[in-house]
Amino acid sequence: GNSVYEIDTGYLVFGRHISTDGTVLDRAAVYKFGQNGAFQSRYEIGTGEAAYSYFGYFDPVVRLADGSFASVIDRLNGYDCSIELLRFDGDGNLQTNSAIIGSPAQDSTLLGIRQLQATGDGGFAFCGFKAPPEAYASAWLVKMDSTGMVQWEQQYGYPSQLYEAITVAQYPDGGYVLGGYRLPGSLVNKGFLIRTDSAGNEIWRRHYGNDGSVCGAVRVAEDGGIVTFSSYSEFEWPIYWRQHLLTKWNAQGTIVWQTRSHYGPSVICYDMEILPDQRMVTSSRTGDYAALALYSSEGDSLWSRRYLVFPNSFIHLPYDVEQTSDGGFVLT
C-alpha cells in the first residue's frame, strides 16, 4: 500500500500487487475496504500487459478538492518507460489515463516517478529521477497542466553524485520544495532540500542529516515554513541505526528548529502530514514495527506508538498516514 484515504463507505488503498493474469508482474492496484477494514475488492491497472506499473513510493496519490483522486504511474518493460496521469472518481474507479512522457528502449534512459501533488493553478507536479545511460541519475521535477500536458521539466544533480527526489510540495509563491537523497553512501549529509521558483529554477539547496538518508516527506506550514521528515545518523553508530529527524526551515533555507527522536536499528522515515491545527503526524519503520508519532507545531514530541500487526518477524513499512474524520489516523 502506498496511499490510503477514508471514503464514505470505508477506505481506499492505492498500492501494488503481483498480477494474477499469469505474467507474475508487479502492477499498480486499487483496493477497497469496509469501515471495519474488511477487504471488499481490488483491481489492477494494466492487466495482461507485458509491463509492470507502480504509483511511486510514499503517499504518491493526491485527493483533489472535489473528492476525486489523481496520480501518475510508471509503466516499465525493460528500458521502455511510459509515464501516465491517472484520474479516479471518489470511489477509486479509474476514469481517464493520459500519456505524459515516454522513453523508448533504445534511449536506455530510466524514468522514475515518486510523488504527485496538485498545484494551485489546477495542474500537477511530480518528482522522481531521470537516469540516462552512462551517467548518474538526477532529481527530476515535472510540471503539468490539468490534462497532463507537460509545461516544463527540470533536473537537479551534481557531478559524480546520484540524486533522487522522493517528495515535492508547492510553496505559497508558486515555486516548489523538493526533498530526496544523494549517493554514494560515503557522503556527509546525504539528504537534500531544494527550493525553486515557479518555473523550477533552483533558488537554494541544502544537504543535511549527517549519515542519514531518505527525506520521506516535505510539507509547507501555514506560516510559510518548510517542514521535512527524514533520517539522521552518525558515522560511528552501529550499521543501520538511525533517528527520526524532523526539521523546520524558513524561506531562506535556514533551520528554525530540529527534533531528533526514535534512535534504533532500521529506523526509516516515510510520510508526514501537517494537520489543520499545525501539529505534525509521522509514519516510519522502527525495527520490524510500524511507528506513528505526533509532534506539536514547534516540533515537540507529544506521543509515539509502535504496532506489530503481523507477528513472527514480518517487517512493517507504513508508507502513508492520513487523519480520519473521527480525529484518529489510518496507515498503510
Side-chain angles (χ1 to χ4, degrees), residues 67-244:
S68 65
F69 301 92
S71 183
V72 283
I73 66 165
D74 205 341
R75 296 183 193 265
L76 294 175
N77 185 358
Y79 279 97
D80 191 356
C81 305
S82 174
I83 296 176
E84 300 174 4
L85 174 66
L86 275 56
R87 306 290 292 267
F88 305 86
D89 66 18
D91 288 321
N93 302 304
L94 180 62
Q95 301 296 293
T96 62
N97 62 307
S98 308
I100 301 170
I101 296 173
S103 175
Q106 58 266 29
D107 284 358
S108 299
T109 296
L110 285 176
L111 308 176
I113 53 103
R114 292 296 179 255
Q115 190 175 77
L116 177 86
Q117 296 290 354
T119 56
D121 61 0
F124 303 95
F126 73 84
C127 69
F129 69 87
K130 195 169 188 177
E134 300 178 358
Y136 286 91
S138 297
W140 192 31
L141 179 61
V142 179
K143 173 67 174 70
M144 305 173 291
D145 65 17
S146 60
T147 69
M149 182 71 67
V150 173
Q151 296 174 305
W152 51 258
E153 60 176 288
Q154 296 277 10
Q155 295 181 62
Y156 314 90
Y158 193 79
S160 301
Q161 294 181 17
L162 180 152
Y163 273 73
E164 180 175 343
I166 300 292
T167 179
V168 63
Q170 189 169 34
Y171 200 68
D173 64 356
Y176 298 88
V177 285
L178 194 66
Y181 70 95
R182 59 179 182 153
L183 297 175
S186 58
L187 293 169
V188 179
N189 294 328
K190 292 193 284 287
F192 72 78
L193 175 65
I194 294 173
R195 184 184 166 198
T196 79
D197 63 18
S198 59
N201 299 303
E202 183 175 328
I203 297 174
W204 49 254
R205 183 183 311 196
R206 302 290 183 265
H207 296 106
Y208 66 101
N210 201 35
D211 192 32
S213 53
V214 173
C215 172
V218 61
R219 299 289 184 262
V220 179
E222 197 173 62
D223 62 2
I226 302 162
V227 183
T228 55
F229 182 53
S230 57
S231 64
Y232 177 86
S233 179
E234 300 282 355
F235 282 92
E236 61 268 23
W237 288 359
I239 189 169
Y240 301 128
W241 282 59
R242 300 282 188 271
Q243 280 185 306
H244 285 187

